[in-house]
Amino acid sequence: QVQLVQSGAEMKKPGSSVKVSCKASRGTFSSYAVNWVRQAPGQGLEWMGRLIPSLGLANYAQMFQDRVTLTADRSTTTAYMELRSLRSEDTAVYYCTRGEAFDIWGPGTVVAVS
Amino acid sequence: QAVVTQEPSFSVSPGGTVTLSCGLSSGSVSTSHYAGWYQQTPGQAPRTLIYSTNIRSSGVPDRFSGSILGNKAALTITGAQADDEAHYYCVLSMGGDNWVFGGGTKLTVL
């Protein structure tokens, strides 16, 4: 079964940007969408947006619309989430997850902003 | 933006049955919201239980089931076990390829 492999933990300064990657362990994401979900410490899950790598189409949750960009490489084996203008409230675990069913989850990437 | 509501906490006895709900601050949940349910234990990534209201994800035991009950999506766990103790999150599609998670329910098995 496909697994999602995410990039390592990041420590960032306020005002900077972070780019998190998510790679499908076998092959490409095919026609599946890739969703990005974050979880602040002790809090619930928050949907940020999704990208269909094969089409390059992205849509974003309203609260992230101005600060997040979702992309994928040309081979559509790796998806990326870039979050700009970081603030302390962006400290969270960032997950990628596959498809409309959110059926496969990456292990998460810790982003600490301080 | 619509708010997705879940009970903050729930408890169930071992072997018992519990139904968790997922509603909307305004309006009813239907199959058009494609409700999904996810289980999360501390320090772990979420695990998919149910998607599209009632489709069980691969490898999920059949004691987990999803449905629409009244005006809410529901997750029913029958024969609760100690390792079902976790946080449970639902997600709803709000159309336009936008999704919103509920705040989660902490389930205690005791």
Side-chain angles (χ1 to χ4, degrees), chain B:
Chain B
Q1 176 171 292
V3 175
V4 177
T5 60
Q6 295 186 250
E7 301 90 352
S9 63
F10 229 115
S11 64
V12 62
S13 300
T17 296
V18 63
T19 297
L20 310 182
S21 73
C22 177
L24 284 169
S25 54
S26 61
S28 299
V29 178
S30 71
T31 54
S32 299
H33 289 94
Y34 301 97
W37 291 91
Y38 308 87
Q39 178 193 62
Q40 189 180 36
T41 52
Q44 300 298 312
R47 170 198 180 199
T48 304
L49 299 175
I50 301 288
Y51 62 93
S52 290
T53 304
N54 57 11
I55 301 175
R56 207 173 292 114
S57 189
S58 175
V60 174
D62 59 8
R63 56 196 189 78
F64 292 91
S65 62
S67 63
I68 299 290
L69 287 179
N71 62 352
K72 297 182 180 181
L75 173 71
T76 300
I77 307 172
T78 58
Q81 301 176 359
D83 61 5
D84 294 335
E85 188 160 295
H87 278 90
Y88 290 83
Y89 294 94
C90 69
V91 73
L92 299 178
S93 170
M94 297 302 181
D97 300 321
N98 283 284
W99 297 81
V100 179
F101 280 92
T105 297
K106 179 177 170 58
L107 180 67
T108 302
V109 180
L110 50 71

Side-chain angles (χ1 to χ4, degrees), chain A residues 43-109:
Chain A
Q43 302 301 308
L45 302 173
E46 185 172 34
W47 183 80
M48 300 178 67
R50 74 160 203 175
L51 172 75
I52 302 176
S54 60
L55 300 176
L57 292 177
N59 61 289
Y60 304 100
Q62 194 169 8
M63 70 170 289
F64 296 105
Q65 197 120 26
D66 296 334
R67 295 198 298 136
V68 71
T69 302
L70 304 181
T71 56
D73 64 17
R74 290 171 63 89
S75 65
T76 68
T77 59
T78 304
Y80 302 92
M81 185 282 299
E82 182 180 32
L83 185 61
R84 301 177 292 278
S85 302
L86 289 168
R87 32 206 191 230
S88 58
E89 310 89 90
D90 294 319
T91 293
V93 178
Y94 289 77
Y95 296 101
C96 59
T97 173
R98 190 185 76 165
E100 304 294 325
F102 300 74
D103 62 348
I104 299 173
W105 291 71
T109 295

